[in-house]
Amino acid sequence: TVFMDTGTTTLACAEALAGSEGLTVITNALGVAQRLGAGRGGHRVFLLGGSYAPGNVQTVGPMAIEQVARFRADHAVLTVAALDAEDGATDADFDEAQIARAMRGHARSTIVLAHSQKFGRRAAFGVCRLSEIDVLVSETRPAGRLGAALDAAGVRLA
């Protein structure tokens, strides 16, 4: 059972997971729901309701957050706008950060998907501390202060 928030990176993750079988996915992202719902893997997809935000083709707001609380997931798969040694994972959008925090709070583990362009950057809205991330998935290993902070926090890199 997987929570997946919105973003181009989670959509790419959904593409990769489409070939697997039998997932239960809870998402606020229409693209993720469409991709996994149309796959041949027999996935069960729950699309959260709420206020529609056309920019990222997602649902946000109090209704979506309340619906997140009805589920318990094995993993929260989240994208972030920035990943910093001191500030942890942050997002540039208030509503998206709230959804990510809610998903993380109802999952056993947190997987953050982040392109290396987001390393060492800060955004306005907190998602979680580095110590609250179980796995970081990126195309390259973070170096410098961020790499050291992730190691100290016990974050597994994939």
Side-chain angles (χ1 to χ4, degrees):
T1 302
V2 179
F3 283 120
M4 291 185 80
D5 70 357
T6 191
T8 56
T9 310
T10 47
L11 186 56
C13 180
E15 291 282 340
L17 291 175
S20 62
E21 293 185 9
L23 294 176
T24 298
V25 179
I26 306 105
T27 186
N28 69 319
L30 184 59
V32 169
Q34 287 175 320
R35 181 60 190 109
L36 289 170
R40 297 180 183 197
H43 304 303
R44 188 165 188 195
V45 179
F46 293 87
L47 181 60
L48 301 170
S51 178
Y52 178 67
N56 275 337
V57 194
Q58 65 181 327
T59 56
V60 294
M63 289 177 66
I65 291 168
E66 187 274 327
Q67 289 173 24
V68 167
R70 295 180 186 187
F71 295 93
R72 299 295 178 267
D74 297 309
H75 309 285
V77 179
L78 310 172
T79 59
V80 295
L83 197 61
D84 179 73
E86 294 174 8
D87 289 337
T90 55
D91 207 310
D93 184 275
F94 175 76
D95 290 321
E96 289 180 21
Q98 285 192 24
I99 293 289
R101 284 194 306 270
M103 288 178 172
R104 190 190 60 71
H106 290 89
R108 289 186 186 150
S109 76
T110 300
I111 301 168
V112 171
L113 311 176
H115 190 276
S116 62
Q117 292 174 332
K118 299 179 181 186
F119 294 171
R121 297 177 66 191
R122 295 177 178 174
F125 306 103
V127 172
C128 64
R129 295 181 305 273
L130 294 182
S131 61
E132 296 171 314
I133 300 171
D134 296 290
V135 179
L136 171 65
V137 178
S138 185
E139 85 286 4
T140 187
R141 183 175 184 82
R145 289 182 57 217
L146 178 57
L150 288 164
D151 287 342
V155 178
R156 213 166 23 111
L157 302 174

